[in-house]
Amino acid sequence: MAEGERGRRAGAAWIRRRGVAVVLTCLGVGAAVLHVLAPGLRIDGVTVMLLAVAVVPWLGDLFRSIEVPGIGRIEFRDIERRIDAVQRTANAALVGDGPEDGTVDDTAAWDAVRELAAEYVNVRLQQRSGPARNHRMDQIFARLVRVTQRVRDFDAGTLLGSQDAGLRLAAYARLYALPEPEVLGALVDAATGEPLPFNQYWALQAVGRCVDDLEAEQVPLSVVRRLEQFRSGLLRANDRREIADRVLARFGGR
């Protein structure tokens, strides 16, 4: 049974690689034909960049990496991860501007926060781990970024210690939208001790936002050391280690 399953997976991977190769070949032939038919056509740098971003995920199915003279080895999976991180942050930022009309309704806002927190927990429990679930949870986080700003007296510091993963995510969303440098120490403790990778990703993003609001010298050394200890404990490259690296780089080797 196991051998049959591995055989089916290998066959599916081979078909996918062949399909990608055909698509890229067609794109190359199409570009050549376009060049012959319209030699004067100008393509600006932005178009080239967007095309490159679009092609990167396809190349990852054909190659794990490629050597570029003068640049070095490019890992396609690493590029995909970086593009995904930028997109996730942008999606949250697009809805992170607070109430449209400036009004605040604490009761309705708190109800919305609790509903989104419960929805997040349900999605984690009911959906299989993968890109589809991550996308759904990112959407919930983006809505939390917006709705937590409607709560006048949002006690993020208390919610950081909640046993409810959804309420912790709400605290990270609030601090991502409206950084509170005074709770940075508690936020770093929560982020570095967070058991859920998705929560931890956004907790570290919130740490970065809080650090941006401070001068490097204002961040307690104990906070810096806690982040360094956390960073050293990450044994493989992932999006959370990259965030920790970016935050630590702001301290200039303190």
Side-chain angles (χ1 to χ4, degrees), residues 159-222:
L159 289 185
L160 289 174
S162 175
Q163 295 299 308
D164 187 304
L167 292 178
R168 292 200 306 276
L169 187 66
Y172 303 146
R174 168 73 175 212
L175 295 173
Y176 178 84
L178 300 174
E180 299 177 24
E182 61 272 17
V183 301
L184 177 59
L187 176 58
V188 169
D189 286 342
T192 55
E194 173 62 57
L196 303 179
F198 182 87
N199 278 32
Q200 191 170 65
Y201 173 90
W202 285 112
L204 290 168
Q205 291 281 21
V207 168
R209 295 291 290 268
C210 287
V211 169
D212 284 343
D213 276 16
L214 293 170
E215 297 292 336
E217 295 75 16
Q218 294 178 293
V219 178
L221 191 59
S222 59

Side-chain angles (χ1 to χ4, degrees), residues 3-246:
E3 290 294 334
E5 180 64 22
R6 281 197 293 269
R8 283 193 294 273
R9 290 181 179 177
W14 182 86
I15 292 172
R16 186 171 61 250
R17 286 195 296 270
R18 293 288 294 180
V20 171
V22 169
V23 169
L24 292 177
T25 299
C26 290
L27 287 175
V29 171
V33 171
L34 181 62
H35 178 70
V36 171
L37 296 178
L41 181 65
R42 296 175 62 108
I43 300 178
D44 61 18
V46 173
T47 302
V48 172
M49 180 188 70
L50 292 174
L51 288 173
V53 169
V55 168
V56 162
W58 294 88
L59 292 179
D61 276 330
L62 291 178
F63 314 104
R64 293 185 61 87
S65 63
I66 189 171
E67 195 81 24
V68 179
I71 297 178
R73 183 173 296 276
I74 297 176
E75 298 288 341
F76 288 110
R77 297 304 180 192
D78 182 59
I79 295 174
E80 285 187 77
R81 187 169 62 248
R82 291 174 184 273
I83 291 173
D84 181 62
V86 171
Q87 184 176 6
R88 293 176 69 181
T89 304
N91 288 342
L94 286 174
V95 297
D97 54 357
E100 292 178 356
D101 56 5
T103 60
V104 175
D105 183 345
D106 277 355
T107 302
W110 263 117
D111 288 343
V113 169
R114 293 189 183 96
E115 288 175 4
L116 288 169
E119 182 181 353
Y120 167 70
V121 172
N122 288 335
V123 168
R124 285 198 69 257
L125 293 175
Q126 296 174 6
Q127 290 193 14
R128 180 181 300 178
S129 177
R133 189 180 76 166
N134 283 343
H135 179 66
R136 177 80 180 278
M137 294 193 300
D138 276 333
Q139 290 178 324
I140 295 172
F141 178 83
R143 289 156 64 194
L144 281 170
V145 167
R146 187 175 183 84
V147 75
T148 54
Q149 296 179 71
R150 292 182 178 271
V151 181
R152 183 180 293 105
D153 297 317
F154 192 97
D155 191 353
T158 297
L159 289 185
L160 289 174
S162 175
Q163 295 299 308
D164 187 304
L167 292 178
R168 292 200 306 276
L169 187 66
Y172 303 146
R174 168 73 175 212
L175 295 173
Y176 178 84
L178 300 174
E180 299 177 24
E182 61 272 17
V183 301
L184 177 59
L187 176 58
V188 169
D189 286 342
T192 55
E194 173 62 57
L196 303 179
F198 182 87
N199 278 32
Q200 191 170 65
Y201 173 90
W202 285 112
L204 290 168
Q205 291 281 21
V207 168
R209 295 291 290 268
C210 287
V211 169
D212 284 343
D213 276 16
L214 293 170
E215 297 292 336
E217 295 75 16
Q218 294 178 293
V219 178
L221 191 59
S222 59
V223 169
V224 180
R225 295 292 176 261
R226 183 77 178 93
L227 283 170
E228 290 175 339
Q229 181 183 18
F230 167 76
R231 166 61 179 79
S232 65
L234 295 174
L235 302 180
R236 63 184 181 86
N238 56 38
D239 49 10
R240 286 165 288 153
R241 190 167 80 174
E242 290 174 1
I243 298 170
D245 285 340
R246 289 199 300 269

